[in-house]
Amino acid sequence: MPHFDDASPIYLQIAEEIRTQILSGDLAEGARLISTTEYATRYRINPATANKAVSLLVDEGLVVKRRGIGMFVAAGALEGLRRSRRAAYADDVLHPALDTGLALGLSPTELRESVASHLETRTSEETQ
């Protein structure tokens, strides 16, 4: 059971948890989400809060409702999430990190070598 923080509304945290499950493959396209009643019971929250989280994901096109059956991960949800997260990652994480490296006096060559070394290490770890 996740620990909800006070930094953002619970429905946003639930929606983000579902997005993360889609990105990680824990919820594949076409997979059924647990019902909003199950979310409410599992996390001890108001069912309207769980419904608001799922409705947000429907509005984003990540989840579809099949009348009488339940809510399911939409076709194309994974690629849509990856596409939107890639752009945000570059702007919010990668570019500021590179700017910090430059401010610390690292040269562009040193930054490229550091990135290449890190990626090489990660790639070799994943193939073992």
Side-chain angles (χ1 to χ4, degrees):
M1 179 159 64
H3 172 72
F4 296 116
D5 62 46
D6 294 332
S8 65
I10 292 173
Y11 81 94
L12 291 177
Q13 293 177 61
I14 292 171
E16 185 58 27
E17 177 187 335
I18 294 169
R19 287 185 202 100
T20 299
Q21 290 172 342
I22 293 169
L23 283 168
S24 71
D26 291 338
L27 275 176
E29 293 180 3
R32 183 181 178 279
L33 274 63
I34 63 173
S35 72
T36 54
T37 303
E38 291 172 288
Y39 274 111
T41 302
R42 180 180 291 179
Y43 301 135
R44 297 185 183 117
I45 59 171
N46 185 315
T49 300
N51 190 49
K52 194 170 182 179
V54 174
S55 293
L56 178 63
L57 297 172
V58 169
D59 292 346
E60 293 174 3
L62 300 175
V63 172
V64 293
K65 180 179 184 174
R66 295 189 189 150
R67 186 170 289 221
I69 301 174
M71 305 301 279
F72 294 81
V73 177
L78 176 60
E79 187 52 40
L81 270 172
R82 283 184 174 164
R83 189 174 33 256
S84 66
R85 295 282 173 104
R86 283 179 187 142
Y89 169 76
D91 291 341
D92 299 343
V93 178
L94 186 58
H95 297 160
L98 293 172
D99 289 342
T100 299
L102 291 170
L104 292 171
L106 294 169
S107 70
T109 300
E110 289 171 314
L111 288 170
R112 280 191 289 277
E113 288 172 356
S114 179
V115 169
S117 174
H118 177 75
L119 293 175
E120 206 172 280
T121 301
R122 294 289 298 183
T123 304
S124 66
E125 288 173 359
E126 290 175 6
T127 58
Q128 292 179 358

